[in-house]
Amino acid sequence: MNKKTQMLFPIALLAFLLACTGTRPSFLGVKSEKLAECPGTPNCISSFANPTDKEHYRSPLPYKKPLKEAVQILKRKLELSPRTKIIEENPNYIYAEFTSLIMRYVDDVEFYFDEKNKLLHFRSASRLGKSDLGVNRKRIESILKDLEI
């Protein structure tokens, strides 16, 4: 490998890894008391998907604690997750980015506390690609497991 190739390789690798992060979606957030729909690809899970859609649907989690306390419990659990960055937090909404270890793929994960129905809704979706090998579903199941809210 000549000197020029040695210098270009790290730059090319960095460019490739940065390309895996994708662009932060502009359509996220709570609109009309709902989170965005999942795309047709299997790399998304949402409590707002049609319950007959086994690929994308998972039921929301009921919560009993006061809203502020429930949000703080979830936030602490997210902060303990590796390669996780909380991007936005409102009184009843949390948006976080989860980054994969090797390829640096970014998944957008949202949580919406529906105060009227006392339900924690969520949406977890990959920014890029089609299949996520079940990563988004496993993530949501892991976060919700033993979540005492």
Side-chain angles (χ1 to χ4, degrees):
M1 202 184 283
N2 66 33
K3 277 201 179 267
K4 187 175 181 181
T5 305
Q6 286 177 331
M7 289 176 56
L8 290 177
F9 180 74
I11 294 168
L13 181 60
L14 179 63
F16 172 76
L17 292 176
L18 290 175
C20 292
T21 63
T23 303
R24 187 175 291 152
S26 60
F27 57 83
L28 299 179
V30 180
K31 294 176 180 71
S32 301
E33 298 183 18
K34 289 188 172 187
L35 300 172
E37 291 184 21
C38 280
T41 54
N43 58 4
C44 179
I45 180 172
S46 172
S47 58
F48 285 111
N50 186 319
T52 62
D53 181 354
K54 302 297 182 201
E55 185 172 60
H56 296 111
Y57 180 75
R58 200 272 191 202
S59 60
L61 182 72
Y63 68 95
K64 295 181 175 128
K65 295 192 184 290
L67 176 63
K68 191 172 184 176
E69 185 180 347
V71 169
Q72 285 306 309
I73 290 168
L74 174 61
K75 182 180 175 185
R76 279 195 300 274
K77 189 159 190 179
L78 294 175
E79 289 172 338
L80 293 173
S81 299
R83 298 172 311 285
T84 302
K85 180 179 179 184
I86 294 177
I87 303 300
E88 184 179 338
E89 179 184 356
N90 295 321
N92 67 341
Y93 174 80
I94 296 176
Y95 163 44
E97 293 176 340
F98 286 72
T99 304
S100 67
L101 180 61
I102 296 173
M103 294 301 292
R104 313 298 295 163
Y105 287 114
V106 176
D107 295 337
D108 298 293
V109 184
E110 301 175 276
F111 296 92
Y112 164 54
F113 288 83
D114 174 356
E115 252 305 85
K116 184 170 55 173
N117 299 302
K118 298 295 277 187
L119 293 172
L120 172 60
H121 285 280
F122 50 82
R123 178 183 186 275
S124 182
S126 302
R127 276 189 194 165
L128 302 173
K130 182 177 177 184
S131 176
D132 67 348
L133 304 173
V135 168
N136 282 289
R137 181 172 292 277
K138 288 174 194 162
R139 175 185 303 114
I140 289 296
E141 294 296 350
S142 174
I143 290 169
L144 299 182
K145 184 180 182 197
D146 303 324
L147 188 65
E148 294 184 25
I149 56 171

